[in-house]
Every structure is written in C-alpha cells, then in structure tokens.
Amino acid sequence: MTRSRTPIEAAAGKLIAAIQKEWGIEAGEPEAAASEEAMHAAHGLLQAASKFGSIESVISSGSVAAYLGEQWVQGHPQVLPYIEALEGAQ
C-alpha cells in the first residue's frame, strides 16, 4: 500500500516540478546550472518534509527563497507561488 503525501510533501513536489520546468526551458544554456542547483536544493526540502514533517531543519530561520538562492528566485518569478505554498504548508 502506498503512503499518501502530506500537504508539505505535496507542496515541495510541486515546487520541484516548477523548478524542473524552468530548468528544461534553459537546457543547454549557461544559466541551466543554477536552475539544476535550485532543483537539487528543492529535493532536499522534500526529503526533510518526508523525514521530519517540516523543512525547518533545512532552512532554519531563513526562507525557502533564501535557501534556493534569492538571485535565482528573482530571475524565475514563476516559482514564487510554489514557494509561498510550501511556506504556507509548514
């Protein structure tokens, strides 16, 4: 029997999908490396959400945007709603 995702896990998964979309758009371009790093960071958030039920162990008192990289987030405003949803789910 498969385990259903918690709201925070679902929000982290949607953030990963949004970042993957940005990464796919940038494929082959130099900026794709930063998007790939953001995607790996988001996977860390999902792992924390799955293991601890919270992302606080990863971001401490910071924000998801700071964890992913403020400059990257500013350059990819399409992910902002997903960041907000993740922060709201904790």
Side-chain angles (χ1 to χ4, degrees):
M1 183 170 164
T2 60
R3 181 178 76 83
S4 62
R5 288 185 154 195
T6 65
I8 195 167
E9 289 172 316
K14 289 178 182 178
L15 174 59
I16 291 168
I19 295 170
Q20 284 176 328
K21 184 176 180 180
E22 297 299 305
W23 180 58
I25 291 168
E26 298 169 351
E29 301 296 325
E31 60 270 14
S35 292
E36 186 173 6
E37 286 180 29
M39 186 172 43
H40 287 297
H43 275 94
L45 295 173
L46 175 59
Q47 289 174 338
S50 296
K51 186 173 183 179
F52 304 114
S54 170
I55 59 172
E56 288 180 11
S57 64
V58 176
I59 65 170
S60 299
S61 61
S63 68
V64 172
Y67 182 73
L68 296 177
E70 293 282 355
Q71 187 175 10
W72 184 87
V73 172
Q74 289 175 3
H76 299 85
Q78 300 85 343
V79 302
L80 286 172
Y82 301 97
I83 290 171
E84 292 169 4
L86 178 57
E87 290 176 335
Q90 27 177 10

